[in-house]
Amino acid sequence: EVQLQESGPGLVKPSQSLSLTCSVTGYSITSNYWGWIRKFPGNKMEWVGYINYSDNTSYNPSLKSRISITRDTSKNQFFLQLNSVTTEDTATYYCARLAGYWYFDFWGPGTMVTVSS
Amino acid sequence: EIVLTQSPTTMTASPGEKVTLTCRASSSVSYMHWYQQRSGTSPKLWIYETSKLASGVPNRFSVSGSGTSYSLTINSMETEDAATYYCQQGSSYPLTFGSGTKLEIK
């Protein structure tokens, strides 16, 4: 079965960069689309962006100037980098596989990131 | 951006009760997807492409709707159904989620 696992620092200082890794097992990231979603305190969920099998990316316009999603196919991992973070980037970050008509069928357990000095 | 509005925000239901959750879109969408999230766990795909139940979802769940209005119905509420349910559209970018309906058991 497809399994995803997020990893990265739980605390980031304002103005620094947030870097997360999603490790995938049971399926190759050279197929399908792979995305990041975040859930803010208060439960609002936001799609962050995705990378696909051809290494093409798409980002939420609200983040477009600060975000980069890349991958390492040899390790079956993909990555999120979010620059110039503020306290408003405090959230639980999930990685997930996209399927069909753009739904997320497999999710990682999520990693909580707090932006604070 | 398509805004999804879910109602109610919170509701409480008794075991055996019929429950209906609503998701309204600011523009027409072709398909709506739903996720169930229990406390302390990640969201789980629940219903996809408007009406297809994800693997393991009991058939007391159903969805109807089209265009800008969709409803998720539980025919007979069970304790394990207590969770937050989110709708999500993939018809246009950016992909967007509703604000969620928290369903509690009485």
Side-chain angles (χ1 to χ4, degrees), chain A residues 37 39 43 45-47 50 58 60-61 94 98 100-105 107-110, chain B residues 1 31 33 35 37 41-45 48-49 86 88-90 93-95 97-99:
Chain A
I37 305 100
K39 183 179 177 184
N43 292 334
M45 296 243 286
E46 180 179 71
W47 167 67
Y50 71 65
S58 179
N60 192 314
Y94 299 96
L98 273 156
Y101 287 99
W102 306 105
Y103 54 88
F104 300 94
D105 60 351
W107 295 64
Chain B
E1 170 175 323
Y31 293 100
H33 317 299
Y35 302 86
Q37 186 173 30
T41 68
S42 57
K44 190 179 296 186
L45 179 66
Y48 62 102
E49 295 172 5
Y86 295 92
Q88 178 246 317
Q89 66 81 23
Y93 285 95
L95 308 181
F97 291 84
S99 52

Side-chain angles (χ1 to χ4, degrees), chain B residues 39-91:
Chain B
S39 181
T41 68
S42 57
K44 190 179 296 186
L45 179 66
W46 211 243
I47 293 171
Y48 62 102
E49 295 172 5
T50 300
S51 59
K52 298 177 183 177
L53 302 185
S55 176
V57 175
N59 60 12
R60 61 181 177 272
F61 285 84
S62 63
V63 178
S64 62
S66 64
T68 61
S69 184
Y70 294 81
S71 297
L72 182 153
T73 298
I74 307 173
N75 280 331
S76 178
M77 177 77 180
E78 296 198 8
T79 304
E80 66 182 22
D81 301 334
T84 300
Y85 293 85
Y86 295 92
C87 55
Q88 178 246 317
Q89 66 81 23
S91 293

Side-chain angles (χ1 to χ4, degrees), chain A:
Chain A
E1 181 176 271
V2 183
Q3 293 188 320
L4 300 94
Q5 178 70 56
E6 306 86 353
S7 58
L11 181 64
V12 181
K13 288 183 171 22
S15 81
Q16 293 189 343
S17 293
L18 178 164
S19 295
L20 298 176
T21 297
C22 182
S23 300
V24 180
T25 56
Y27 202 87
S28 173
I29 65 168
T30 58
S31 298
N32 276 73
Y33 288 56
W34 303 88
W36 290 96
I37 305 100
R38 61 184 183 175
K39 183 179 177 184
F40 299 100
N43 292 334
K44 178 187 171 185
M45 296 243 286
E46 180 179 71
W47 167 67
V48 172
Y50 71 65
I51 187 166
N52 74 3
Y53 54 88
S54 298
D55 207 20
N56 295 318
T57 55
S58 179
Y59 303 135
N60 192 314
S62 69
L63 299 166
K64 203 166 185 178
S65 61
R66 299 195 290 133
I67 188 176
S68 175
I69 297 177
T70 57
R71 65 178 186 170
D72 183 338
T73 57
S74 68
K75 295 182 178 178
N76 218 38
Q77 294 175 328
F78 62 104
F79 312 100
L80 170 66
Q81 180 170 317
L82 185 63
N83 300 321
S84 305
V85 298
T86 71
T87 56
E88 294 187 353
D89 295 309
T90 293
T92 298
Y93 286 75
Y94 299 96
C95 59
R97 189 180 79 168
L98 273 156
Y101 287 99
W102 306 105
Y103 54 88
F104 300 94
D105 60 351
F106 291 95
W107 295 64
T111 187
M112 186 178 298
V113 178
T114 300
V115 179
S116 176
S117 55

Side-chain angles (χ1 to χ4, degrees), chain A residues 39-40 42-46, chain B residues 3-11 20-24 32-38 43 72 83-89 96-104:
Chain A
K39 183 179 177 184
F40 299 100
N43 292 334
K44 178 187 171 185
M45 296 243 286
E46 180 179 71
Chain B
V3 176
L4 301 180
T5 302
Q6 291 188 246
S7 60
T9 303
T10 306
M11 72 175 298
T20 299
L21 314 180
T22 299
C23 178
R24 289 197 166 82
M32 192 66 77
H33 317 299
W34 296 80
Y35 302 86
Q36 181 197 68
Q37 186 173 30
R38 294 198 180 108
L72 182 153
T84 300
Y85 293 85
Y86 295 92
C87 55
Q88 178 246 317
Q89 66 81 23
T96 52
F97 291 84
S99 52
T101 291
K102 185 175 183 180
L103 177 58
E104 298 172 322

